[in-house]
Amino acid sequence: MTLTPEFHAHCMRLALRQAGAAAEVGEVPTGCVIIKRPESADRPLAAVKVLARAHNQTETLKDATAHAEMIALTQASAALGDWRLTDTVMYVTKEPCPMCAGAIVLARVPFVVWGVSDPKRGGHTVFSILDHQGLNHRPQIIRDVLEQECRAMLQGFFRSRRAQDT
């Protein structure tokens, strides 16, 4: 089943809301949403089952592992009662880091959709974790969904941070 670009954009907007919540509390604005994969592509957007919504909380929790994806994986596992997230789609505003990419592989998430790639630290772009031939699971990847919006949120956050530091 192929989901439409409109469907992906709708779900990425949900992740962007989470990124905005992160920025409001001074966290790097990365947001993540995990949904149950719809049974059919023509399912109404209102009927999509959201299993997890999360944003970065590393500063808030004083925890280096409190990335949006890690928190969302935990929430989705709790919602499904299983660590194997085999019938889900993850939407994240920024490409997962190596830690998060590894957790995505271990959780068997079949589809990962992100907004903006991270050419310096990306778990896929730099380290190829999501399609590494030595691993037993390789999710399908869709990138650049609402890329401009995701990039603008990150750039605005860091621009504001630099202005505060001067």
Side-chain angles (χ1 to χ4, degrees), residues 95-96 98 118-129 143:
E95 176 184 358
D118 185 348
K120 292 183 180 177
R121 292 172 291 282
H124 178 71
T125 302
V126 177
F127 298 99
S128 302
I129 293 169
R143 55 180 110 195

Side-chain angles (χ1 to χ4, degrees), residues 11 18 22 35 39 42 59 80 122 124 147 159:
C11 293
Q18 290 299 310
I35 65 164
E39 295 167 10
D42 59 349
E59 298 296 335
L80 292 175
H124 178 71
E147 178 185 16
R159 191 174 305 124

Side-chain angles (χ1 to χ4, degrees), residues 43-99:
R43 190 167 177 119
L45 292 174
V48 172
K49 181 172 180 163
V50 176
L51 301 171
R53 298 171 199 262
H55 57 79
N56 277 0
Q57 295 186 52
T58 55
E59 298 296 335
T60 303
L61 299 176
K62 308 296 184 225
D63 180 354
T65 68
H67 290 196
E69 301 95 321
M70 300 296 282
I71 295 167
L73 288 168
T74 299
Q75 290 176 1
S77 293
L80 292 175
D82 194 351
W83 61 268
R84 293 174 196 87
L85 302 179
T86 57
D87 207 22
T88 64
V89 182
M90 174 185 276
Y91 292 87
V92 61
T93 56
K94 186 179 80 55
E95 176 184 358
C97 74
M99 172 185 67

Side-chain angles (χ1 to χ4, degrees), residues 12 15-16 31 90-96 112-118 142-151 154:
M12 188 60 73
L16 274 164
M90 174 185 276
Y91 292 87
V92 61
T93 56
K94 186 179 80 55
E95 176 184 358
V112 180
V113 182
W114 69 71
V116 63
S117 294
D118 185 348
I142 299 173
R143 55 180 110 195
D144 303 333
V145 173
L146 299 185
E147 178 185 16
Q148 290 180 332
E149 294 91 327
C150 295
R151 184 177 308 284
L154 284 163

